[in-house]
Coordinates of all heavy atoms in Angstrom, one line a residue:
M18 N 64.2 17.6 -60.7 CA 63.8 18.0 -62.1 C 64.4 19.3 -62.4 O 64.4 20.3 -61.7 CB 62.3 18.1 -62.2 CG 61.6 16.8 -62.2 SD 59.8 17.1 -62.5 CE 59.6 16.5 -64.1
S19 N 64.9 19.4 -63.6 CA 65.5 20.7 -64.1 C 64.4 21.6 -64.6 O 63.3 21.1 -65.1 CB 66.6 20.4 -65.1 OG 66.0 20.0 -66.3
A20 N 64.7 22.8 -64.7 CA 63.7 23.8 -65.2 C 63.4 23.5 -66.7 O 62.3 23.7 -67.1 CB 64.2 25.2 -65.0
T21 N 64.5 23.1 -67.4 CA 64.3 22.9 -68.8 C 63.4 21.7 -69.1 O 62.5 21.8 -70.0 CB 65.7 22.5 -69.5 OG1 66.6 23.6 -69.2 CG2 65.6 22.3 -70.9
R22 N 63.5 20.7 -68.2 CA 62.6 19.5 -68.4 C 61.1 19.9 -68.1 O 60.2 19.3 -68.7 CB 63.0 18.4 -67.4 CG 62.4 17.1 -67.6 CD 63.0 16.1 -66.8 NE 62.2 14.8 -67.0 CZ 62.4 13.8 -66.2 NH1 63.3 13.8 -65.3 NH2 61.7 12.7 -66.4
I23 N 60.9 20.8 -67.3 CA 59.5 21.3 -66.9 C 59.0 22.3 -68.0 O 57.9 22.2 -68.4 CB 59.5 22.0 -65.5 CG1 59.8 20.9 -64.5 CG2 58.2 22.6 -65.3 CD1 60.0 21.5 -63.1
L24 N 59.9 23.2 -68.4 CA 59.5 24.2 -69.4 C 59.3 23.7 -70.8 O 58.5 24.3 -71.6 CB 60.4 25.4 -69.3 CG 60.4 26.2 -68.0 CD1 61.5 27.3 -68.0 CD2 59.1 26.8 -67.7
R25 N 60.1 22.8 -71.2 CA 60.1 22.3 -72.6 C 58.7 21.9 -73.1 O 58.3 22.4 -74.2 CB 61.1 21.2 -72.8 CG 61.2 20.6 -74.2 CD 61.3 21.6 -75.4 NE 62.5 22.4 -75.2 CZ 62.7 23.5 -75.9 NH1 61.8 23.9 -76.8 NH2 63.7 24.3 -75.7
P26 N 58.0 21.1 -72.4 CA 56.6 20.8 -72.9 C 55.7 22.0 -73.0 O 54.9 22.1 -73.9 CB 56.1 19.8 -71.8 CG 57.3 19.2 -71.2 CD 58.3 20.3 -71.2
M27 N 55.8 22.9 -72.1 CA 55.0 24.1 -72.1 C 55.4 25.0 -73.3 O 54.5 25.4 -74.1 CB 55.2 24.9 -70.9 CG 54.5 24.3 -69.7 SD 54.8 25.1 -68.1 CE 54.8 26.8 -68.4
L28 N 56.7 25.1 -73.6 CA 57.1 25.9 -74.8 C 56.7 25.2 -76.1 O 56.2 25.9 -77.0 CB 58.6 26.1 -74.8 CG 59.2 27.0 -73.7 CD1 60.7 27.0 -73.7 CD2 58.6 28.4 -73.8
D29 N 56.8 23.9 -76.1 CA 56.3 23.1 -77.3 C 54.8 23.4 -77.5 O 54.4 23.5 -78.7 CB 56.6 21.6 -77.1 CG 58.1 21.3 -77.2 OD1 58.8 22.1 -77.7 OD2 58.4 20.2 -76.9
A30 N 54.0 23.4 -76.5 CA 52.6 23.6 -76.6 C 52.3 25.0 -77.2 O 51.4 25.1 -78.0 CB 51.9 23.4 -75.3
F31 N 53.1 26.0 -76.8 CA 52.9 27.3 -77.4 C 53.3 27.5 -78.8 O 52.9 28.4 -79.5 CB 53.7 28.3 -76.5 CG 52.9 28.8 -75.3 CD1 53.1 28.2 -74.1 CD2 52.0 29.9 -75.4 CE1 52.3 28.6 -73.0 CE2 51.3 30.3 -74.3 CZ 51.5 29.7 -73.1
T32 N 54.2 26.6 -79.3 CA 54.8 26.8 -80.6 C 54.3 25.8 -81.6 O 54.4 26.0 -82.8 CB 56.3 26.8 -80.6 OG1 56.8 25.6 -80.1 CG2 56.8 28.0 -79.8
R33 N 53.7 24.7 -81.2 CA 53.4 23.6 -82.1 C 52.4 24.0 -83.2 O 52.6 23.9 -84.4 CB 52.7 22.4 -81.3 CG 52.4 21.2 -82.1 CD 51.9 20.0 -81.3 NE 52.7 19.8 -80.1 CZ 52.3 19.9 -78.8 NH1 51.1 20.3 -78.6 NH2 53.1 19.6 -77.9
H34 N 51.3 24.6 -82.8 CA 50.3 25.1 -83.8 C 50.8 26.2 -84.7 O 50.7 26.1 -85.9 CB 49.0 25.5 -83.2 CG 48.0 26.1 -84.1 ND1 47.4 25.4 -85.2 CD2 47.6 27.4 -84.2 CE1 46.7 26.3 -85.8 NE2 46.7 27.4 -85.3
P35 N 51.4 27.3 -84.1 CA 52.0 28.3 -85.0 C 53.0 27.7 -86.0 O 52.9 28.1 -87.2 CB 52.7 29.3 -84.0 CG 51.9 29.1 -82.7 CD 51.5 27.6 -82.7
H36 N 53.8 26.8 -85.6 CA 54.8 26.2 -86.6 C 54.0 25.4 -87.6 O 54.4 25.4 -88.8 CB 55.8 25.4 -85.9 CG 56.8 26.2 -85.1 ND1 57.6 25.6 -84.2 CD2 57.0 27.5 -85.0 CE1 58.4 26.5 -83.6 NE2 58.0 27.7 -84.1
A37 N 52.9 24.8 -87.3 CA 52.1 24.0 -88.2 C 51.6 24.9 -89.3 O 51.3 24.4 -90.4 CB 51.0 23.2 -87.5
V38 N 51.3 26.2 -89.0 CA 50.8 27.1 -90.1 C 51.9 28.0 -90.6 O 51.6 29.0 -91.2 CB 49.6 27.9 -89.5 CG1 48.4 26.9 -89.3 CG2 49.9 28.7 -88.3
G39 N 53.1 27.7 -90.3 CA 54.3 28.4 -90.9 C 54.5 29.8 -90.3 O 55.0 30.7 -90.9
E40 N 54.2 29.9 -89.0 CA 54.4 31.1 -88.3 C 55.2 30.9 -87.0 O 55.2 29.8 -86.4 CB 53.1 31.8 -87.9 CG 52.2 32.1 -89.1 CD 50.8 32.5 -88.7 OE1 50.3 32.1 -87.6 OE2 50.2 33.2 -89.5
T41 N 55.8 32.0 -86.5 CA 56.4 32.0 -85.2 C 55.2 32.3 -84.2 O 54.1 32.6 -84.6 CB 57.4 33.1 -85.0 OG1 56.8 34.4 -85.1 CG2 58.6 33.0 -86.0
W42 N 55.5 32.1 -82.9 CA 54.5 32.4 -81.9 C 54.0 33.9 -82.1 O 52.8 34.2 -82.0 CB 54.9 32.1 -80.5 CG 53.9 32.4 -79.5 CD1 52.9 31.6 -79.1 CD2 53.6 33.7 -78.8 NE1 52.1 32.2 -78.2 CE2 52.5 33.5 -78.0 CE3 54.2 34.9 -78.9 CZ2 52.0 34.5 -77.2 CZ3 53.7 35.9 -78.1 CH2 52.6 35.7 -77.2
G43 N 54.9 34.8 -82.2 CA 54.6 36.2 -82.3 C 53.8 36.5 -83.6 O 52.8 37.3 -83.5
E44 N 54.2 35.9 -84.7 CA 53.4 36.1 -85.9 C 52.0 35.6 -85.8 O 51.0 36.2 -86.2 CB 54.1 35.4 -87.1 CG 55.4 36.1 -87.5 CD 56.2 35.2 -88.5 OE1 56.1 34.0 -88.5 OE2 57.0 35.8 -89.2
H45 N 51.9 34.4 -85.2 CA 50.6 33.8 -85.0 C 49.7 34.6 -84.0 O 48.5 34.8 -84.3 CB 50.7 32.4 -84.4 CG 49.4 31.7 -84.3 ND1 48.6 31.7 -83.2 CD2 48.8 30.9 -85.2 CE1 47.5 31.0 -83.4 NE2 47.6 30.5 -84.7
C46 N 50.3 35.2 -83.0 CA 49.6 36.1 -82.1 C 49.0 37.3 -82.8 O 47.9 37.6 -82.6 CB 50.5 36.5 -80.9 SG 49.7 37.5 -79.7
L47 N 49.8 37.9 -83.7 CA 49.3 39.1 -84.4 C 48.3 38.6 -85.4 O 47.2 39.3 -85.5 CB 50.5 39.7 -85.2 CG 51.5 40.5 -84.3 CD1 52.7 40.9 -85.1 CD2 50.8 41.6 -83.6
T48 N 48.5 37.5 -86.1 CA 47.5 37.1 -87.1 C 46.2 36.7 -86.4 O 45.1 37.2 -86.9 CB 48.0 35.8 -87.9 OG1 49.2 36.2 -88.6 CG2 47.0 35.3 -88.9
A49 N 46.2 35.9 -85.4 CA 45.0 35.5 -84.6 C 44.3 36.7 -84.0 O 43.1 36.8 -84.0 CB 45.3 34.5 -83.6
S50 N 45.1 37.7 -83.5 CA 44.5 38.9 -82.9 C 43.8 39.7 -84.0 O 42.7 40.2 -83.8 CB 45.6 39.7 -82.3 OG 46.1 39.1 -81.2
G51 N 44.4 39.7 -85.2 CA 43.7 40.4 -86.3 C 42.4 39.8 -86.7 O 41.4 40.5 -87.0
F52 N 42.4 38.4 -86.8 CA 41.2 37.7 -87.0 C 40.1 38.1 -86.0 O 39.0 38.4 -86.3 CB 41.4 36.2 -87.1 CG 42.1 35.7 -88.3 CD1 43.0 34.7 -88.2 CD2 41.7 36.2 -89.6 CE1 43.6 34.2 -89.4 CE2 42.3 35.7 -90.7 CZ 43.3 34.7 -90.6
G53 N 40.6 38.0 -84.7 CA 39.6 38.3 -83.6 C 39.1 39.7 -83.6 O 37.9 39.9 -83.4
L54 N 39.9 40.7 -83.9 CA 39.4 42.0 -83.9 C 38.5 42.2 -85.1 O 37.5 43.0 -85.0 CB 40.6 43.0 -84.0 CG 41.4 43.1 -82.7 CD1 42.7 43.9 -82.9 CD2 40.6 43.7 -81.6
T55 N 38.8 41.6 -86.2 CA 37.9 41.7 -87.4 C 36.5 41.1 -87.1 O 35.5 41.7 -87.4 CB 38.5 41.1 -88.6 OG1 39.8 41.7 -88.9 CG2 37.6 41.1 -89.8
L56 N 36.5 40.0 -86.4 CA 35.3 39.3 -86.0 C 34.5 40.2 -85.0 O 33.3 40.3 -85.1 CB 35.6 37.9 -85.4 CG 36.0 36.9 -86.4 CD1 36.5 35.6 -85.7 CD2 34.8 36.5 -87.3
I57 N 35.2 40.8 -84.1 CA 34.5 41.7 -83.1 C 33.9 42.9 -83.9 O 32.7 43.2 -83.6 CB 35.5 42.2 -82.0 CG1 35.8 41.1 -81.1 CG2 34.9 43.4 -81.2 CD1 37.0 41.4 -80.1
G58 N 34.6 43.4 -84.8 CA 34.1 44.5 -85.6 C 32.9 44.1 -86.4 O 31.8 44.8 -86.5
A59 N 32.9 42.9 -87.0 CA 31.8 42.4 -87.8 C 30.6 42.1 -86.9 O 29.5 42.4 -87.2 CB 32.2 41.1 -88.5
G60 N 30.9 41.7 -85.7 CA 29.8 41.5 -84.7 C 29.1 42.8 -84.3 O 27.9 42.9 -84.2
L61 N 29.9 43.8 -84.1 CA 29.3 45.1 -83.8 C 28.5 45.7 -84.9 O 27.4 46.2 -84.7 CB 30.5 46.1 -83.4 CG 31.2 45.8 -82.1 CD1 32.4 46.8 -82.0 CD2 30.3 45.9 -80.9
V62 N 29.0 45.5 -86.2 CA 28.3 45.9 -87.4 C 26.9 45.1 -87.4 O 25.9 45.7 -87.7 CB 29.1 45.6 -88.6 CG1 28.2 45.7 -89.9 CG2 30.2 46.7 -88.7
C63 N 26.9 43.8 -87.1 CA 25.7 43.1 -87.0 C 24.7 43.6 -86.0 O 23.5 43.7 -86.3 CB 26.0 41.6 -86.7 SG 26.7 40.7 -88.0
L64 N 25.2 44.1 -84.9 CA 24.3 44.6 -83.9 C 23.7 45.9 -84.4 O 22.5 46.2 -84.2 CB 25.0 44.9 -82.6 CG 25.5 43.6 -81.8 CD1 26.4 44.0 -80.6 CD2 24.3 42.8 -81.4
V65 N 24.5 46.8 -85.0 CA 23.9 48.0 -85.6 C 22.9 47.7 -86.7 O 21.8 48.2 -86.7 CB 25.0 48.9 -86.2 CG1 24.5 50.1 -86.9 CG2 26.0 49.4 -85.0
H66 N 23.2 46.7 -87.5 CA 22.4 46.3 -88.6 C 21.0 45.7 -88.1 O 20.0 45.9 -88.6 CB 23.0 45.2 -89.5 CG 22.1 44.7 -90.5 ND1 21.7 45.4 -91.7 CD2 21.5 43.4 -90.6 CE1 21.0 44.6 -92.4 NE2 20.8 43.4 -91.8
A67 N 21.1 45.0 -86.9 CA 19.9 44.5 -86.3 C 18.9 45.6 -86.0 O 17.7 45.4 -86.2 CB 20.2 43.7 -85.1
A68 N 19.4 46.7 -85.5 CA 18.5 47.8 -85.1 C 18.2 48.7 -86.3 O 17.1 49.2 -86.3 CB 19.2 48.6 -84.0
L69 N 19.1 48.8 -87.2 CA 18.9 49.7 -88.3 C 19.2 48.9 -89.6 O 20.3 49.0 -90.2 CB 19.9 50.9 -88.2 CG 19.8 51.7 -86.9 CD1 20.9 52.7 -86.8 CD2 18.4 52.5 -86.9
P70 N 18.3 48.1 -90.1 CA 18.5 47.2 -91.1 C 19.0 47.8 -92.5 O 19.5 47.1 -93.3 CB 17.2 46.4 -91.3 CG 16.2 47.0 -90.4 CD 16.9 48.0 -89.6
F71 N 18.7 49.1 -92.6 CA 19.2 49.7 -93.9 C 20.7 50.0 -93.9 O 21.2 50.4 -94.9 CB 18.3 51.0 -94.1 CG 18.4 51.9 -92.9 CD1 19.4 52.9 -92.9 CD2 17.4 51.8 -91.9 CE1 19.4 53.8 -91.8 CE2 17.5 52.7 -90.9 CZ 18.5 53.7 -90.8
L72 N 21.3 49.9 -92.7 CA 22.8 50.1 -92.6 C 23.5 48.8 -92.7 O 23.0 47.7 -92.2 CB 23.1 50.8 -91.3 CG 22.6 52.3 -91.2 CD1 23.0 52.8 -89.8 CD2 23.2 53.1 -92.3
F73 N 24.7 48.8 -93.3 CA 25.6 47.6 -93.2 C 25.0 46.3 -93.7 O 25.1 45.3 -93.1 CB 26.2 47.4 -91.8 CG 26.8 48.6 -91.2 CD1 26.3 49.2 -90.1 CD2 27.9 49.2 -91.8 CE1 26.9 50.3 -89.5 CE2 28.5 50.3 -91.3 CZ 28.0 50.9 -90.1
Q74 N 24.3 46.4 -94.8 CA 23.5 45.3 -95.3 C 24.4 44.1 -95.7 O 24.0 42.9 -95.7 CB 22.6 45.7 -96.5 CG 21.5 46.6 -96.0 CD 20.7 47.0 -97.2 OE1 20.5 46.4 -98.2 NE2 20.0 48.2 -97.0
H75 N 25.7 44.3 -96.1 CA 26.6 43.3 -96.5 C 27.9 43.3 -95.8 O 28.8 42.4 -96.1 CB 26.8 43.3 -98.1 CG 25.6 43.3 -98.9 ND1 24.9 42.1 -99.1 CD2 24.8 44.3 -99.5 CE1 23.8 42.4 -99.8 NE2 23.7 43.7 -100.0
T76 N 28.1 44.2 -95.0 CA 29.4 44.5 -94.4 C 29.9 43.2 -93.6 O 31.1 42.8 -93.8 CB 29.4 45.7 -93.4 OG1 28.9 46.8 -94.2 CG2 30.8 46.0 -92.9
A77 N 29.1 42.7 -92.7 CA 29.6 41.6 -91.9 C 29.8 40.4 -92.7 O 30.9 39.7 -92.5 CB 28.5 41.3 -90.8
S78 N 29.0 40.1 -93.6 CA 29.2 38.9 -94.5 C 30.4 39.1 -95.4 O 31.2 38.1 -95.6 CB 28.0 38.5 -95.3 OG 27.6 39.6 -96.1
D79 N 30.7 40.3 -95.8 CA 31.9 40.5 -96.6 C 33.1 40.3 -95.7 O 34.2 39.8 -96.2 CB 31.9 42.0 -97.1 CG 30.9 42.2 -98.2 OD1 30.3 41.2 -98.8 OD2 30.6 43.4 -98.6
C80 N 33.1 40.8 -94.4 CA 34.2 40.5 -93.5 C 34.5 39.1 -93.3 O 35.6 38.6 -93.3 CB 33.9 41.2 -92.2 SG 34.1 43.0 -92.1
I81 N 33.4 38.3 -93.1 CA 33.6 36.9 -92.8 C 34.1 36.2 -94.1 O 35.0 35.3 -94.0 CB 32.2 36.2 -92.5 CG1 31.7 36.9 -91.2 CG2 32.3 34.7 -92.3 CD1 32.6 36.8 -90.0
A82 N 33.6 36.5 -95.3 CA 34.1 35.9 -96.5 C 35.6 36.3 -96.7 O 36.4 35.4 -97.1 CB 33.3 36.4 -97.7
A83 N 36.0 37.5 -96.4 CA 37.4 37.9 -96.5 C 38.3 37.1 -95.5 O 39.4 36.7 -95.9 CB 37.6 39.4 -96.3
L84 N 37.8 37.0 -94.3 CA 38.6 36.2 -93.3 C 38.7 34.8 -93.8 O 39.8 34.1 -93.6 CB 37.9 36.3 -92.0 CG 38.1 37.5 -91.1 CD1 37.2 37.4 -89.8 CD2 39.5 37.7 -90.8
H85 N 37.7 34.2 -94.3 CA 37.7 32.8 -94.8 C 38.8 32.7 -95.9 O 39.6 31.7 -95.9 CB 36.4 32.3 -95.3 CG 36.4 30.9 -95.8 ND1 36.6 30.6 -97.1 CD2 36.4 29.7 -95.1 CE1 36.6 29.3 -97.2 NE2 36.5 28.7 -96.0
R86 N 38.8 33.6 -96.8 CA 39.8 33.5 -97.9 C 41.2 33.6 -97.3 O 42.1 32.9 -97.7 CB 39.6 34.6 -98.9 CG 38.4 34.4 -99.8 CD 38.4 35.4 -101.0 NE 38.3 36.8 -100.5 CZ 37.1 37.4 -100.2 NH1 36.0 36.8 -100.4 NH2 37.1 38.7 -99.8
R87 N 41.4 34.5 -96.3 CA 42.8 34.7 -95.7 C 43.1 33.4 -95.0 O 44.3 32.9 -95.1 CB 42.8 35.8 -94.7 CG 42.9 37.2 -95.4 CD 42.8 38.3 -94.4 NE 43.8 38.1 -93.3 CZ 43.7 38.7 -92.1 NH1 42.7 39.5 -91.9 NH2 44.6 38.6 -91.2
M88 N 42.2 32.8 -94.2 CA 42.5 31.6 -93.5 C 42.8 30.4 -94.4 O 43.7 29.6 -94.2 CB 41.4 31.3 -92.4 CG 41.8 30.2 -91.4 SD 40.6 30.0 -90.1 CE 40.8 31.6 -89.2
A89 N 42.0 30.3 -95.4 CA 42.1 29.1 -96.3 C 43.4 29.2 -97.1 O 43.9 28.2 -97.5 CB 40.9 29.1 -97.3
A90 N 43.9 30.4 -97.3 CA 45.2 30.5 -98.1 C 46.4 30.2 -97.3 O 47.4 29.9 -97.8 CB 45.3 32.0 -98.5
R91 N 46.2 30.1 -95.9 CA 47.3 29.7 -95.1 C 47.7 28.2 -95.3 O 46.8 27.4 -95.6 CB 47.0 30.0 -93.6 CG 46.8 31.4 -93.4 CD 46.2 31.7 -92.0 NE 47.2 31.4 -91.0 CZ 46.9 31.0 -89.8 NH1 45.6 30.9 -89.4 NH2 47.8 30.8 -88.9
T92 N 48.9 27.8 -95.1 CA 49.3 26.4 -95.2 C 49.3 25.7 -93.9 O 49.5 26.3 -92.9 CB 50.6 26.3 -95.9 OG1 51.6 27.0 -95.1 CG2 50.6 26.9 -97.3
L93 N 49.0 24.4 -93.9 CA 49.1 23.6 -92.7 C 50.1 22.5 -92.9 O 49.9 21.7 -93.9 CB 47.7 23.0 -92.4 CG 47.6 22.1 -91.3 CD1 47.9 22.8 -90.0 CD2 46.2 21.5 -91.2
D94 N 51.1 22.4 -92.1 CA 52.0 21.3 -92.1 C 51.5 20.3 -91.1 O 51.6 20.4 -89.9 CB 53.4 21.8 -91.6 CG 54.5 20.7 -91.5 OD1 54.1 19.6 -91.8 OD2 55.6 21.1 -91.1
T95 N 50.9 19.2 -91.6 CA 50.3 18.2 -90.8 C 51.3 17.4 -89.9 O 50.9 16.9 -88.9 CB 49.5 17.2 -91.6 OG1 50.3 16.6 -92.6 CG2 48.3 17.9 -92.3
S96 N 52.6 17.4 -90.3 CA 53.6 16.7 -89.5 C 53.8 17.4 -88.2 O 54.3 16.9 -87.2 CB 54.9 16.5 -90.3 OG 55.5 17.8 -90.5
A97 N 53.6 18.7 -88.1 CA 53.8 19.5 -86.9 C 52.5 19.8 -86.2 O 52.5 20.4 -85.2 CB 54.4 20.9 -87.3
A98 N 51.4 19.3 -86.7 CA 50.0 19.6 -86.2 C 49.8 18.8 -84.9 O 50.4 17.7 -84.7 CB 49.0 19.3 -87.2
P99 N 49.0 19.3 -84.0 CA 48.7 18.6 -82.7 C 47.9 17.4 -83.1 O 47.4 17.2 -84.2 CB 47.9 19.6 -81.9 CG 47.4 20.6 -82.9 CD 48.4 20.6 -84.0
S100 N 47.8 16.5 -82.1 CA 47.1 15.2 -82.3 C 45.6 15.4 -82.5 O 45.0 14.5 -83.1 CB 47.4 14.3 -81.2 OG 46.9 14.9 -80.0
T101 N 45.0 16.5 -82.1 CA 43.6 16.7 -82.4 C 43.4 17.2 -83.8 O 44.3 17.9 -84.3 CB 43.0 17.7 -81.4 OG1 43.8 18.9 -81.5 CG2 43.1 17.2 -79.9
P102 N 42.3 16.9 -84.4 CA 42.1 17.3 -85.8 C 42.1 18.9 -85.9 O 41.6 19.5 -85.0 CB 40.7 16.8 -86.1 CG 40.4 15.8 -85.1 CD 41.2 16.1 -83.8
S103 N 42.6 19.4 -86.9 CA 42.6 20.8 -87.2 C 41.5 21.2 -88.1 O 41.1 20.4 -89.0 CB 43.9 21.2 -87.8 OG 43.9 22.5 -88.2
R104 N 40.9 22.3 -87.8 CA 39.9 22.9 -88.7 C 40.4 23.7 -89.8 O 39.7 24.3 -90.6 CB 38.9 23.6 -87.8 CG 38.2 22.7 -86.8 CD 37.2 23.6 -86.0 NE 36.8 22.8 -84.8 CZ 35.8 22.0 -84.8 NH1 35.0 21.9 -85.9 NH2 35.5 21.4 -83.7
L105 N 41.8 23.9 -89.8 CA 42.4 24.7 -90.8 C 42.6 23.9 -92.1 O 43.3 22.9 -92.0 CB 43.7 25.3 -90.3 CG 44.5 26.2 -91.2 CD1 43.7 27.5 -91.5 CD2 45.8 26.6 -90.6
H106 N 42.0 24.3 -93.2 CA 42.1 23.5 -94.4 C 42.0 24.4 -95.6 O 41.4 25.5 -95.5 CB 41.1 22.4 -94.5 CG 39.7 22.9 -94.4 ND1 39.0 23.4 -95.4 CD2 38.9 23.0 -93.3 CE1 37.8 23.7 -95.0 NE2 37.7 23.5 -93.7
A107 N 42.4 24.0 -96.7 CA 42.2 24.8 -97.9 C 40.8 24.6 -98.4 O 40.2 23.5 -98.3 CB 43.2 24.3 -99.0
A108 N 40.2 25.6 -98.9 CA 38.8 25.6 -99.4 C 38.8 25.0 -100.8 O 39.6 25.1 -101.5 CB 38.1 26.9 -99.4

């Protein structure tokens, strides 16, 4: 077996979803990391709000709403999508 024959399916798996949303792997990595860091920040704000309810009364929900708008605005090319159903859709 050649290395290309072994590596091609792995490379396809890494790029299939990013291409489906119109991104390279690197662009997708940065975008997904940004979503993740924003969610972590919103989670930390929720923990502070749990102890001190007068702080950050709308911050976490505002973050989630903004993330939803950003994600819903992305496009999905269903011809390049994996065989499993995608949760990415327009609102």
Side-chain angles (χ1 to χ4, degrees):
M18 284 182 111
S19 71
T21 303
R22 189 171 174 191
I23 294 170
L24 293 176
R25 175 54 52 198
M27 290 173 40
L28 291 174
D29 288 345
F31 273 93
T32 59
R33 186 178 308 117
H34 171 68
H36 288 169
V38 294
E40 298 170 336
T41 65
W42 180 87
E44 291 168 336
H45 187 269
C46 185
L47 290 173
T48 300
S50 295
F52 284 140
L54 290 171
T55 300
L56 288 168
I57 289 169
L61 292 173
V62 165
C63 284
L64 292 173
V65 171
H66 174 72
L69 305 167
F71 53 90
L72 293 176
F73 306 117
Q74 294 179 22
H75 302 283
T76 306
S78 58
D79 290 347
C80 285
I81 300 303
L84 282 177
H85 179 263
R86 284 190 300 275
R87 283 179 50 202
M88 191 173 288
R91 298 168 69 209
T92 59
L93 176 63
D94 177 2
T95 56
S96 66
S100 58
T101 57
S103 175
R104 296 178 194 271
L105 181 63
H106 57 83

